Amino acid sequence: MGKITEFRQNVIDGLKGLIPQLDVDWYDGLFDEHDIADWVLKTPCARVAVMNVPTEHHSTGELNACLRVVCVLIDENKFASLDGDGRAWDMVEQVAIWANQNQFGNKDAGPADKVKFQRLSQPVLRREGVTVGVVEWVSDLMIGTNKVLGRDFVWFNGKMVTQTPSTTVTARGNVHTQRYGDTEELDVTPEVP
């Protein structure tokens, strides 16, 4: 599994933990009323898409993939007319707060930012009792090989050297006292971590 699909799966797993009753899956980033009709059969549900926006080269030799993540949340009226609206807004709010500054368990991902959310208003869906909310954010994900690790660090037997031998320094100095012109010898051993 590549880093991008792993990142998307982390978002999906996180949503399942955030709102346990959600049926969560991925989609390709485009949807229409036919997709929503299929998704309504599993409400409440969420569909997650990860799309790439312009990638930036990084000084480490890696690519900084600025991922545009879109989460579509769908619910429907259950007990009264338009009662799905409140539940949809609640889910949108929970997901927006959860996504803000989240790295989704990935050490190579930056904190999510530029969180946007909205409720989609469409008369046909409203008449059918379907509510749709969208939460969108940007997450930076470093992909590729970090060439700095091989170029700027010391390696031994395939492992990065992280600890170097320590040494002890002993110094001898002569201190002259002004009073009698005598010399005292001091043993100075500085502490070296």
Side-chain angles (χ1 to χ4, degrees):
M1 180 185 304
K3 276 188 168 182
I4 294 174
T5 52
E6 181 184 342
F7 177 82
R8 180 181 66 194
Q9 190 60 46
N10 288 352
V11 173
I12 289 171
D13 294 342
L15 280 170
K16 288 177 181 177
L18 179 69
I19 307 172
Q21 69 269 23
L22 275 182
D23 174 72
V24 187
D25 206 349
W26 67 273
Y27 78 107
D28 62 2
L30 298 173
F31 66 93
D32 60 16
E33 62 275 358
H34 300 293
D35 293 318
I36 291 177
D38 291 340
W39 297 343
V40 164
L41 299 174
K42 299 176 181 180
T43 58
C45 69
R47 297 296 179 257
V48 176
V50 175
M51 297 170 280
N52 199 356
V53 294
T55 301
E56 302 166 353
H57 292 278
H58 197 267
S59 62
T60 62
E62 297 168 285
L63 293 173
N64 185 11
C66 303
L67 302 176
R68 187 173 144 241
V69 183
V70 180
C71 177
V72 179
L73 300 149
I74 300 151
D75 204 349
E76 62 182 334
N77 296 335
K78 301 230 187 274
F79 308 110
S81 179
L82 303 177
D83 71 341
D85 179 70
R87 283 192 308 279
W89 269 118
D90 288 344
M91 288 189 298
V92 164
E93 183 178 339
Q94 285 181 45
V95 172
I97 292 168
W98 170 74
N100 186 37
Q101 299 295 305
N102 197 336
Q103 288 181 267
F104 309 101
N106 193 317
K107 65 179 180 58
D108 292 326
D113 66 347
K114 300 178 185 149
V115 178
K116 298 186 288 188
F117 55 90
Q118 65 181 11
R119 265 269 291 113
L120 298 182
S121 299
Q122 215 251 5
V124 173
L125 294 175
R126 185 183 66 240
R127 283 192 286 277
E128 292 179 7
V130 177
T131 57
V132 180
V134 177
V135 181
E136 182 178 334
W137 65 87
V138 174
S139 287
D140 294 334
L141 180 66
M142 298 299 278
I143 59 175
T145 303
N146 185 340
K147 293 180 175 59
V148 170
L149 292 176
R151 181 181 66 215
D152 294 348
F153 292 94
V154 177
W155 294 80
F156 181 72
N157 288 338
K159 294 183 181 178
M160 186 187 305
V161 176
T162 58
Q163 186 176 4
T164 57
S166 59
T167 61
T168 303
V169 176
T170 303
R172 184 174 294 272
N174 292 325
V175 177
H176 299 280
T177 58
Q178 293 278 325
R179 194 169 45 165
Y180 301 106
D182 295 338
T183 307
E184 294 179 20
E185 289 190 10
L186 295 176
D187 210 6
V188 180
T189 306
E191 291 184 24
V192 178

